[in-house]
Amino acid sequence: MDKFRMIFQFLQSNQESFMNGICGIMALASAQIYSAFDFSCPCLPGYNLAYSGGILLVPPLVLFLLGLVMNNNISMLAEEWKRPTGQRHKDPAVLRYMFCSMAQRALIAPVVWVAVTLLDGKCFLCAFCTAVPVATLGNSSQVPSLAQQEIARLLARIPCQDIYDGEWLIAREVAVRYLRCISQALGWTFVLLTTLLAFIVRAVRPCFTQAAFLKSKYWSHYIDIERKLFDETCTEHAKAFAKVCIQQFFETMNHDLTLGHSHPRPAKAPAEGAEDEREKLHGITDQGTMNQLLKSWHKCKPPLRLDQEEPLLENGWAGGAPGPGPAPILRKEVATYFSKV
């Protein structure tokens, strides 16, 4: 159990490297899925393009959504986007940085799928077999005597070697080589453009907007760390709350059972760790107060400024300009931040 806990903590501390590894595995998986996929072109004029377009676009969309779902930061982005403003405003630049960071990793597997599909050529061959220039590559003397529907029907069967019967119009091998050559050229062009775009985004963009880039990166990391620390603090509080509640239950039952005996037992001293557990509760010792705390954290997170104590009213909000009414009761609130080394 301790080994699994150490592995989980290591993955949490190296989340970026872990997500990069997951994206690499998904990219390799997408290539393996395509190689194992049985591509069956319908070889019909009205269905070839729709089938090929679905094979080229639908799996990349699914892989992209899976890449977003497997990223733990997607829920953090949604929470930050939908949370009430409260005392902490939302910076659109930080939200854009978080989404772009997730989208860059999630796009790796779809890009690999599209590149492999174009380099293989089967999908392009099925989609554009009816657009082969018969007059240039085939028997141009037979073209005027055939209707366009008949030519389209013959050309749509080019991907299906066992049913193709138009060798007298155009040789199948010529059409296949022609379309695969174009498909591979488009595939390598797509790879080149994608690589250049990734280089520009990762290397060149921070050079022009370094200050804004560092600010967005810093607050993105802060939101992630703050969420983890809050979850850890809530987990520790829940453990301490449950432990103290169970101890009080057993003490109450022990007291009730003791009253039923003729000779009452001497009271036991409190356990050594009881005070430590109560300290972890931070004064939150009932369900209603804890629910109010969680609701306040969601609706009004504390402002991002330290070493500045501001007088608060009875309801916990900062006081404004004094009015003609009675003076409000002021109190001080100190926020304590915990971090694990």
Side-chain angles (χ1 to χ4, degrees):
M1 189 64 181
D2 294 336
K3 293 182 179 180
F4 288 106
R5 186 178 304 172
M6 292 176 60
I7 294 175
F8 181 72
Q9 292 177 354
F10 173 79
L11 294 178
Q12 279 190 329
S13 60
N14 299 272
Q15 185 176 9
E16 186 173 358
S17 301
F18 175 69
M19 290 308 304
N20 291 336
I22 290 294
C23 292
I25 293 174
M26 288 185 62
L28 294 176
S30 64
Q32 291 295 325
I33 291 173
Y34 180 82
S35 61
F37 177 72
D38 186 14
F39 186 88
S40 300
C41 184
C43 296
L44 295 173
Y47 297 91
N48 286 9
L49 184 60
Y51 178 80
S52 302
I55 297 299
L56 185 64
L57 299 178
V58 174
L61 179 60
V62 174
L63 292 172
F64 177 73
L65 294 178
L66 284 177
L68 292 179
V69 169
M70 295 181 66
N71 196 320
N72 295 329
N73 293 332
I74 187 65
S75 58
M76 180 181 65
L77 175 62
E79 292 174 4
E80 184 66 17
W81 178 47
K82 295 295 294 182
R83 71 170 177 83
T85 302
Q87 300 185 35
R88 183 187 301 180
H89 74 283
K90 292 181 283 188
D91 191 353
V94 177
L95 298 178
R96 286 195 301 268
Y97 175 83
M98 295 168 61
F99 178 77
C100 291
S101 299
M102 292 184 294
Q104 289 174 12
R105 295 186 179 94
L107 281 173
I108 295 177
V111 166
V112 171
W113 178 276
V114 175
V116 171
T117 303
L118 291 176
L119 292 176
D120 183 64
K122 294 179 182 178
C123 186
F124 190 86
L125 172 64
C126 180
F128 297 100
C129 58
T130 56
V132 174
V134 181
T136 304
L137 302 179
N139 189 358
S140 59
S141 61
Q142 298 292 336
V143 175
S145 61
L146 296 175
Q148 291 296 328
Q149 292 80 3
E150 183 65 18
I151 295 177
R153 186 187 65 83
L154 292 174
L155 296 179
R157 295 182 177 182
I158 290 178
C160 305
Q161 184 177 4
D162 52 345
I163 64 174
Y164 179 64
D165 55 354
E167 290 289 344
W168 54 272
L169 180 63
I170 182 174
R172 180 181 180 277
E173 186 65 22
V174 174
V176 169
R177 287 179 178 271
Y178 173 77
L179 292 175
R180 282 192 172 178
C181 178
I182 298 177
S183 179
Q184 291 177 358
L186 291 176
W188 284 115
T189 303
F190 175 77
V191 172
L192 177 61
L193 293 177
T194 305
T195 305
L196 289 177
L197 181 62
F199 173 77
I200 292 174
V201 171
R202 300 288 293 181
V204 179
R205 184 178 63 87
C207 298
F208 293 97
T209 58
Q210 185 66 19
F213 176 76
L214 291 177
K215 184 187 72 171
S216 302
K217 184 177 181 180
Y218 174 85
W219 289 114
S220 174
H221 290 170
Y222 172 84
I223 293 173
D224 185 22
I225 294 172
E226 183 187 56
R227 183 192 182 193
K228 292 178 180 178
L229 291 178
F230 183 78
D231 291 342
E232 291 175 2
T233 305
C234 288
T235 302
E236 292 177 359
H237 185 277
K239 291 181 180 179
F241 191 89
K243 189 171 183 179
V244 173
C245 186
I246 293 173
Q247 288 177 352
Q248 289 182 353
F249 172 77
F250 276 91
E251 290 174 0
T252 303
M253 293 299 298
N254 185 28
H255 178 70
D256 294 341
L257 294 175
T258 302
L259 293 178
H261 293 77
S262 57
H263 301 286
R265 301 177 183 177
K268 295 184 179 180
E272 296 180 358
E275 294 298 329
D276 296 337
E277 296 297 333
R278 287 190 174 273
E279 289 180 0
K280 294 180 180 179
L281 295 177
H282 304 293
I284 310 298
T285 57
D286 62 275
Q287 183 179 6
T289 307
M290 190 64 199
N291 292 338
Q292 184 178 1
L293 182 145
L294 296 175
K295 186 178 180 180
S296 300
W297 176 262
H298 170 69
K299 287 189 174 182
C300 184
K301 291 186 178 181
L304 297 176
R305 60 178 185 270
L306 304 178
D307 299 331
Q308 294 183 7
E309 296 183 355
E310 185 176 352
L312 302 177
L313 302 178
E314 286 182 335
N315 56 5
W317 294 92
I329 301 175
L330 302 180
R331 66 179 180 85
K332 291 185 178 181
E333 183 174 291
V334 180
T336 306
Y337 296 86
F338 296 89
S339 61
K340 298 180 72 177
V341 180

